[in-house]
Amino acid sequence: MSTAFDVSKARSYFPALQQDHQVYFDNAGGSQVLSTVASSVKDYLEETNVQLGASYNVAKQSTDIQDKGLEAAAKFMGAEVDEVVIGPSTTQLFSNLSQILSLPPHSELIISSLDHEANISSWVRLASLQSHTIKWWTPSLTSSPILTPSNLRPLLSEKTALVTCTHTSNVLGTIHDIRAIAEEVHKIPGARLCVDGVALAPHRGVDVMALGVDFYSFSWYKVYGPHIAILYASREAQKTLGSLGHYFHTGQDLSTKLGLASASYELVAAIPKIVDYFGPDKQKTWEEIAEHEERVQAILLDYLRKREDVMIHGVAEADKRLRVPVVSFTVKGRSSKDVVEAIEGRSNFGCRWGHFYSKRLVDDLLGLEGCDGVVRISMVHYNTEDEVRKYVEVLDGVLS
């Protein structure tokens, strides 16, 4: 993609956007896929689909392609190759990590209740199996709860071994200051921070070194690629990891320890195509994407704020420093399911209702237990201002 952001040009790289039967506003569940990614998967399966590590020519080619895929993936998030592993999903990678993470006896785990269950259930299970104590990191009950160093600080103690949280809520769209949170966590000797970056990665560049995290994961299928994920573990944090690998696999790399041969070769081969899409000046591209997304979500948020019957869940202003264009709301006296079905009944907009696996957030913090959850409109950089204006017209008709 050009370093000068152009939404029309961006859309031209996505085959699914070259039709008019569907407008995609469910991108937080999975983005559309680049044409170069689809071609790369096809090429790998047709030309180099063999086992890795053998000495014959095609095997050498295949192994080289895999190595380049992993190198591109690591560089994309500011890590080194020996600090990352590819797996089928963020949920699976966190589950594998929880099975090999060694914590001191009777540790305390601080778990954010704003998170997708991917970054909760594994740690709850770990605490139960090893008799650790869970402290829930639950901000004040408002329509826009946010994780901060100040509301984390009272939970920390000399027994804190692990803190888990999301970089951006997949329901609220709120961006958390992970660098500041990491600094607070690391005031406790030996404490680790594990971050779910799935909802941020489609919208902002990730630099794990700058963030100062110990573990960080996101899914490539939310970032215009195939259905695989990546996990970063700092070299220091890796010292606390055991291994799920076979007994005769004595390597200390992350793939041996927790990859379990789950990195689909043809999908890893496509990762460099995702990285290439952002151009030679990726920082500039991300900045332009953030500016575009700010304009796009402002159209929807401005409309929703004017309605007295609508509650926006998350930051109500379209400030790119505070949120990404994942917008959730409820309508007074209306079922979220009914609102979405009414929209779909009169238009080609694809959006969703529900808790989106952040059930603890939706039920307990937003107070929507027993309801249909929220209406969520999740946009990315290839969505246009015109699409959002038309959506607002349809929504206004549904709510009138």
Side-chain angles (χ1 to χ4, degrees):
M1 187 170 68
S2 167
T3 54
F5 180 75
D6 179 337
V7 66
S8 296
K9 186 172 183 179
R11 290 175 66 87
S12 72
Y13 292 99
F14 294 87
L17 304 182
Q18 309 313 307
Q19 47 71 38
D20 58 7
H21 68 266
Q22 187 77 75
V23 177
Y24 296 97
F25 278 172
D26 186 30
N27 296 288
S31 66
Q32 295 307 301
V33 177
L34 291 158
S35 60
T36 52
V37 167
S39 296
S40 177
V41 172
K42 176 178 179 291
D43 291 345
Y44 183 90
L45 290 174
E46 290 182 348
E47 299 171 14
T48 56
N49 188 36
V50 297
Q51 187 55 274
L52 306 182
S55 56
Y56 55 91
N57 286 336
V58 175
K60 288 179 180 179
Q61 286 181 263
S62 183
T63 302
D64 182 62
I65 289 170
Q66 295 303 298
D67 290 344
K68 289 178 179 176
L70 196 60
E71 289 169 7
K75 187 176 181 180
F76 186 80
M77 61 191 311
E80 299 297 331
V81 173
D82 65 334
E83 296 175 312
V84 299
V85 59
I86 303 294
S89 67
T90 293
T91 301
Q92 186 64 63
L93 286 170
F94 279 154
S95 179
N96 291 359
L97 176 63
S98 72
Q99 294 180 62
I100 62 173
L101 180 61
S102 177
L103 301 177
H106 309 296
S107 290
E108 292 178 352
L109 281 61
I110 299 175
I111 302 174
S112 157
S113 54
L114 266 63
D115 277 50
H116 185 290
E117 197 66 18
N119 202 22
I120 295 180
S121 59
S122 294
W123 310 119
V124 171
R125 183 170 60 249
L126 173 64
S128 175
L129 291 172
Q130 298 187 9
S131 300
H132 299 307
T133 298
I134 293 176
K135 289 184 175 179
W136 288 102
W137 185 5
T138 304
S140 301
L141 302 181
T142 69
S143 62
S144 183
I146 185 170
L147 304 171
T148 66
S150 60
N151 57 34
L152 169 64
R153 198 170 297 121
L155 299 173
L156 295 168
S157 78
E158 69 279 359
K159 292 184 178 181
T160 301
L162 181 69
V163 177
T164 70
C165 70
T166 182
H167 201 156
T168 297
S169 167
N170 73 321
V171 170
L172 307 174
T174 307
I175 301 173
H176 298 117
D177 188 346
I178 295 300
R179 177 65 192 179
I181 289 170
E183 290 175 353
E184 194 67 34
V185 170
H186 292 149
K187 290 178 181 178
I188 307 299
R192 307 295 185 195
L193 175 63
C194 179
V195 178
D196 179 347
V198 171
L200 180 97
H203 309 283
R204 302 289 188 275
V206 174
D207 186 337
V208 290
M209 296 298 178
L211 293 172
V213 296
D214 300 290
F215 305 107
Y216 194 102
S217 184
F218 68 83
S219 299
W220 291 102
Y221 72 96
K222 308 293 179 76
V223 193
Y224 322 112
H227 203 297
I228 49 174
I230 187 169
L231 172 73
Y232 159 81
S234 71
R235 288 169 179 163
E236 186 62 28
Q238 287 183 47
K239 296 176 182 178
T240 64
L241 301 182
S243 179
L244 294 173
H246 300 313
Y247 77 93
F248 51 85
H249 286 163
T250 57
Q252 294 302 301
D253 59 288
L254 279 178
S255 292
T256 297
K257 287 186 172 185
L258 59 79
L260 297 179
S262 60
S264 176
Y265 299 161
E266 66 272 19
L267 305 188
V268 175
I271 292 175
K273 300 301 183 182
I274 305 170
V275 178
D276 290 346
Y277 171 69
F278 292 94
D281 189 346
K282 293 176 176 54
Q283 181 177 349
K284 187 173 187 292
T285 300
W286 282 118
E287 289 172 355
E288 291 169 349
I289 283 174
E291 291 173 1
H292 170 72
E293 290 183 343
E294 184 177 71
R295 293 191 296 270
V296 167
Q297 65 179 326
I299 298 167
L300 176 58
L301 288 167
D302 288 349
Y303 167 76
L304 295 175
R305 283 200 307 272
K306 294 174 183 176
R307 294 198 64 100
E308 295 182 357
D309 58 344
V310 168
M311 170 71 75
I312 299 171
H313 299 285
V315 177
E317 291 75 34
D319 189 331
K320 64 185 178 183
R321 298 167 300 174
L322 304 178
R323 60 146 49 248
V324 300
V326 176
V327 179
S328 294
F329 62 92
T330 47
V331 181
K332 185 177 180 180
R334 301 284 294 271
S335 157
S336 293
K337 177 176 180 288
D338 290 347
V339 171
V340 169
E341 290 182 347
I343 292 168
E344 293 174 346
R346 62 176 70 186
S347 73
N348 62 344
F349 290 105
C351 56
R352 295 285 291 275
W353 58 272
H355 57 70
F356 307 101
Y357 292 86
S358 293
K359 188 167 174 57
R360 299 170 199 264
L361 163 63
V362 171
D363 285 1
D364 302 335
L365 275 77
L366 303 185
L368 299 175
E369 183 176 9
C371 303
D372 292 329
V374 299
V375 178
R376 186 181 74 176
I377 313 303
S378 52
M379 299 160 282
V380 290
H381 70 280
Y382 54 60
N383 288 119
T384 69
E385 294 180 47
D386 186 55
E387 285 178 332
V388 183
R389 290 191 187 96
K390 290 178 179 178
Y391 175 83
V392 167
E393 291 179 8
V394 172
L395 178 60
D396 191 60
V398 168
L399 301 185
S400 298

